[in-house]
Amino acid sequence: NAGVMQNPRHLVRRRGQEARLRCSPMKGHSHVYWYRQLPEEGLKFMVYLQKENIIDESGMPKERFSAEFPKEGPSILRIQQVVRGDSAAYFCASSSRTGGNEQYFGPGTRLTVT
Amino acid sequence: GENVEQHPSTLSVQEGDSAVIKCTYSDSASNYFPWYKQELGKGPQLIIDIRSNVGEKKDQRIAVTLNKTAKHFSLHITETQPEDSAVYFCAASERAGGTSYGKLTFGQGTILTVHP
């Protein structure tokens, strides 16, 4: 049973470019969460999505960041016009609708903005 | 919103000793408290969790206790081994709505080092 998958694992972008991070949840999971981890810091919630719906985006910066989880395909976290401060590890977690609702994390995408 | 404080930030123990990490939370609506282990370059791994209707939960060498009145919960690792060395995060969550749990609010992390 495959776990949460994220790609790419490492992404280098120049200032002003766009970054697209993908997350495929565990099989049978329909809820996706995105978290950001800055160097030497804990994880900060960004957004919580279900299929075709954004449930909670209270942690998303107001500008340049967007997320989606379409009916088909992976969830995408999109960062437009990246700046050096966007350099961080971005983690996706998934959970199922029923049961314990534990969140299982992927390996992360490490974004470096040069 | 929720605020989670975690202590200590670093913990160094000898192999075979016990390790205890403590967290406090602020929002009495929180009812789910997981613990994650993160190794270098990897994603957080869920190691144990506890819900607010339970005071203690054990899984082999690890246990978690919860005091709802005082709003604190702790991770206990017994008979520590070098492979337990990692960063440990506590977290708290409240319901987002319906039957689904919502976002996790994490503590700052504890770097645990187990010396052989």
Side-chain angles (χ1 to χ4, degrees):
Chain A
N1 187 15
V4 178
M5 298 177 70
Q6 289 187 250
N7 66 79
R9 294 292 308 277
H10 299 274
L11 183 61
V12 180
R13 285 286 178 264
R14 290 199 185 99
R15 278 179 297 172
Q17 290 185 320
E18 178 180 288
R20 279 185 179 238
L21 288 62
R22 293 176 204 80
C23 168
S24 295
M26 284 178 70
K27 188 176 180 181
H29 285 191
S30 57
H31 298 180
V32 165
Y33 307 78
W34 286 93
Y35 294 85
R36 177 164 65 175
Q37 186 174 37
L38 293 168
E40 309 300 326
E41 290 190 17
L43 295 104
K44 303 290 185 188
F45 168 79
M46 299 182 75
V47 62
Y48 165 34
L49 311 103
Q50 296 176 17
K51 286 281 187 182
E52 300 185 282
N53 280 306
I54 297 175
I55 307 302
D56 181 355
E57 56 181 345
S58 58
M60 287 279 270
K62 297 297 180 206
E63 296 177 350
R64 302 188 297 108
F65 284 72
S66 63
E68 63 176 6
F69 189 16
K71 189 176 180 182
E72 301 291 337
S75 175
I76 306 285
L77 179 67
R78 183 181 176 208
I79 312 172
Q80 295 179 291
Q81 298 175 349
V82 297
V83 300
R84 287 222 172 100
D86 296 334
S87 295
Y90 291 83
F91 292 97
C92 165
S94 73
S95 69
S96 65
R97 186 177 66 84
T98 59
N101 297 105
E102 297 90 349
Q103 293 185 28
Y104 296 93
F105 281 77
T109 293
R110 278 143 186 89
L111 173 65
T112 303
V113 180
T114 61
Chain B
E2 176 66 279
N3 183 50
V4 177
E5 297 287 335
Q6 182 172 346
H7 299 280
S9 56
T10 61
L11 180 58
S12 185
V13 300
Q14 288 296 127
E15 183 176 1
D17 287 351
S18 294
V20 180
I21 303 170
K22 298 182 179 181
C23 289
T24 60
Y25 62 99
S26 61
D27 192 344
S28 55
S30 290
N31 52 16
Y32 174 64
F33 307 93
W35 286 88
Y36 288 86
K37 174 184 180 183
Q38 187 177 26
E39 296 174 323
L40 197 62
K42 296 185 178 180
Q45 175 194 359
L46 179 65
I47 56 172
I48 196 167
D49 57 13
I50 192 167
R51 287 173 173 78
S52 57
N53 58 346
V54 175
E56 183 175 357
K57 185 176 178 181
K58 212 171 182 181
D59 183 5
Q60 299 183 345
R61 295 188 297 110
I62 59 173
V64 58
T65 58
L66 170 66
N67 183 326
K68 276 191 65 179
T69 305
K71 296 203 193 99
H72 68 69
F73 56 113
S74 301
L75 177 72
H76 305 253
I77 306 174
T78 59
E79 300 172 27
T80 53
Q81 301 166 3
E83 49 266 39
D84 294 330
S85 297
V87 182
Y88 290 81
F89 291 98
C90 63
S93 177
E94 57 180 306
R95 290 184 185 275
T99 59
S100 300
Y101 287 96
K103 63 185 179 186
L104 294 174
T105 300
F106 283 85
Q108 298 89 337
T110 296
I111 302 172
L112 173 64
T113 304
V114 180
H115 299 282

